[in-house]
Amino acid sequence: MDFGLVLPTLHAGATVEGIEAAAEVAERVGWSTVWTTDHVLVEHGSADEYGRIFEAIVTLAHVGARHPTLKLGTSVIVVPQRQAVVLAKELATLDALTRGRVIAGVGSGWNAVEFANLGASDRFAPRGAYLDETVRLWRHLWGGATTAFHGQFHPLDDFVFEPLPHRGADLPIWFGGRAEVALRRTGRLGDGYQATSSSPAAYAPRIPIIEAAATAAGRPMPTLSSRVRVQPGATDPGAPDRGPGSSSTLRGTPDQIRAGIADWAAIGVTDLALYFESVAPDAIVHDVEWFVQEVGAQ
């Protein structure tokens, strides 16, 4: 299993110091990737979770400059809320500066109020189509093409795009989402799939849909990943009564957490982005070190 850490960039109390401490401990224990979360301007009803949040790509640039062994992923960036060519430039620049360490995790979004707050209300209804076209546009630009791109949202005739990503058009794109259309999109266009708030039991039926779409498109099966909440040392009295793979949170004794990881591995997931609820520097370091020492996940 490949482990990564979701950086504490969101919630009240999120600080630069907490983000830096989390990145430092992730690199020190040998985890592969750090992930940022994307929201920009949510309504008051979502403020408890996303009211305070550091911008996803700028944060990765800061962390990537300080920690040269970490891969840098967005989990996931809401593409239709942003201008696709500007986002292509930002991701390409970050990948060039970090010499090929970016994973572009993308999604279509869900928050209509936030779309309106960002002046993108017209993209909310066709957000899936916008995401599809954006990925095709990125591959076109990142591959160094200078020929016209005539899309529904992006009619480009005369342009030059540089610098290219370090890996060109092969910069990996991972998709989120759980609707069948999102799963088919993952297989058709994606290099990876990362679910959120899903148990192994809920995740497993999605895999054949992704695989069938990948096969039909003549593409390899995407990497399977999940963003998983972790509650170190939390009691879990219901664990013995649950069926295997029924929880979306890793909690309980070290043995119970190891069993939860085994449930993910059993369905073919090879990458876990671990999300600890701590934001204070000492707390996030403690939680990661506890996980490594007690669970043995390194």
Side-chain angles (χ1 to χ4, degrees):
M1 186 67 70
D2 196 8
F3 292 99
L5 179 64
V6 178
L7 293 172
T9 60
L10 67 163
H11 299 314
T15 63
V16 175
E17 292 77 15
I19 293 166
E20 291 176 345
E24 186 279 329
V25 73
E27 186 172 50
R28 175 160 50 83
V29 302
W31 288 358
S32 68
T33 311
V34 289
W35 300 91
T36 52
T37 307
D38 180 46
H39 279 283
V40 180
L41 198 65
V42 298
E43 74 285 8
H44 282 90
S46 299
D48 286 349
E49 190 162 12
Y50 302 119
R52 178 176 177 82
I53 185 167
F54 285 74
E55 201 282 325
I57 294 175
V58 173
T59 301
L60 291 178
H62 175 75
V63 169
R66 296 167 64 93
H67 299 281
T69 69
L70 291 172
K71 291 186 286 186
L72 311 165
T74 53
S75 175
V76 294
I77 202 157
V78 184
V79 170
Q81 290 184 167
R82 301 180 180 235
Q83 208 285 331
V85 176
V86 174
L87 189 50
K89 176 71 76 171
E90 292 169 339
L91 292 167
T93 299
L94 182 59
D95 197 62
L97 290 171
T98 60
R99 294 173 174 82
R101 290 188 280 136
V102 173
I103 299 172
V106 301
S108 59
W110 53 269
N111 190 325
V113 174
E114 186 173 22
F115 273 70
N117 288 343
L118 297 174
S121 289
D122 59 328
R123 295 186 206 144
F124 185 75
R127 61 193 184 278
Y130 188 94
L131 177 57
D132 281 358
E133 182 176 302
T134 294
V135 171
R136 293 194 297 271
L137 172 63
W138 287 355
R139 297 296 191 205
H140 190 76
L141 296 175
W142 292 345
T146 58
T147 54
F149 182 94
H150 290 161
Q152 176 185 353
F153 307 98
H154 307 97
L156 304 178
D157 287 303
D158 186 1
F159 61 88
V160 176
F161 185 94
E162 290 189 59
L164 301 180
H166 185 77
R167 291 162 294 177
D170 292 328
L171 191 162
I173 298 174
W174 291 19
F175 287 87
R178 63 188 68 179
E180 185 170 337
V181 65
L183 302 176
R184 292 197 304 268
R185 178 184 298 119
T186 299
R188 189 175 69 252
L189 298 173
D191 303 298
Y193 172 64
Q194 187 178 88
T196 301
S197 301
S198 296
S199 67
Y203 190 118
R206 304 172 194 170
I207 298 173
I209 300 171
I210 296 170
E211 186 172 20
T215 299
R219 293 179 53 84
M221 179 65 181
T223 298
L224 297 178
S225 173
S226 187
R227 176 169 164 150
V228 179
R229 187 181 300 268
V230 184
Q231 295 176 339
T235 58
D236 196 6
D241 299 324
R242 291 201 315 258
S246 62
S247 178
S248 61
T249 301
L250 296 174
R251 67 164 69 91
T253 66
D255 283 344
Q256 288 173 328
I257 291 176
R258 282 191 288 271
I261 295 170
D263 289 340
W264 285 109
I267 65 169
V269 169
T270 59
D271 179 280
L272 291 179
L274 302 179
Y275 171 53
F276 297 85
E277 296 169 327
S278 304
V279 295
D282 290 348
I284 188 67
V285 170
H286 171 272
D287 287 350
V288 171
E289 290 179 340
W290 180 93
F291 197 87
V292 171
Q293 293 164 9
E294 299 298 325
V295 179
Q298 192 168 15

